[in-house]
Amino acid sequence: APLAFVSPTQINAQVPYEVNEAQNVPVVVTVNGVTSLSVPVNVIGAAPGIFQFGERRAVVQNQDYSVNTADNAAAVDSYVVAYLTGAGRLDNNVASGAPASAEPISRPRVPVTATIGNMPAHIAFGGLTPNFVGLMQVNMKVPPMPPGTYPLVVTVGGEKSNAALITVR
């Protein structure tokens, strides 16, 4: 599994694209020649997880590419970009550990939807971010709603993400 980050308390690894869903895959960690016990992990078709910062804030860029915060809200009917992981199988394969290409773009083979405060958000694009490893982006239009801070949830192939906060003005 390609490693993205390693610390004494955390390992971020990419599930190789070659692993089939509905498989119990043995996970083993080796550090300085010492190998852990094998732990079976069930692999599902998609597992979207919205990146967060601060107090459960979604990593979202507003239409002007600034970061969405409580003090820098997105306008209704503007487009925002949310960043997440867990896209699952793609229409254009990418080698495990390799960055996604801009040509051709790679999208999940299953439907991508999103809600902001339980209101459907129109998806303009959902797929891998070119030049990044395993990073998915969802470009969506903020639905008409009153100003406030709302949970953003992205669904990929029926699997819901965590709820992370976005602010609308």
Side-chain angles (χ1 to χ4, degrees):
L3 301 177
F5 174 80
V6 177
S7 78
T9 59
Q10 179 177 329
I11 298 172
N12 295 358
Q14 180 186 28
V15 175
Y17 289 117
E18 298 80 13
V19 173
N20 292 320
E21 54 268 359
Q23 264 186 330
N24 269 332
V25 177
V27 175
V28 176
V29 176
T30 303
V31 178
N32 296 327
V34 179
T35 302
S36 71
L37 295 173
S38 175
V39 176
V41 174
N42 187 39
V43 178
I44 58 176
I50 299 171
F51 288 108
Q52 298 179 63
F53 69 96
E55 297 288 323
R56 291 188 29 226
R57 299 287 317 180
V59 175
V60 169
Q61 286 181 312
N62 293 327
Q63 189 162 312
D64 65 359
Y65 302 107
S66 65
V67 175
N68 182 276
T69 65
D71 296 326
N72 190 34
V76 166
D77 291 330
S78 69
Y79 283 87
V80 296
V81 180
Y83 293 95
L84 56 150
T85 189
R89 297 259 177 241
L90 304 167
D91 60 357
N92 292 301
N93 292 333
V94 176
S96 294
S101 172
E103 191 60 42
I105 288 286
S106 295
R107 296 176 179 89
R109 292 183 184 175
V110 293
V112 176
T113 61
T115 58
I116 299 174
N118 295 320
M119 298 283 298
H122 168 75
I123 303 294
F125 172 76
L128 294 189
T129 304
N131 303 316
F132 287 86
V133 177
L135 180 64
M136 181 179 180
Q137 71 180 67
V138 177
N139 303 10
M140 69 194 91
K141 189 174 187 180
V142 176
M145 57 198 331
T149 297
Y150 298 96
L152 165 65
V153 176
V154 175
T155 303
V156 179
E159 297 291 335
K160 289 186 176 185
S161 73
N162 53 317
L165 301 175
I166 180 174
T167 302
V168 176
R169 62 177 159 89

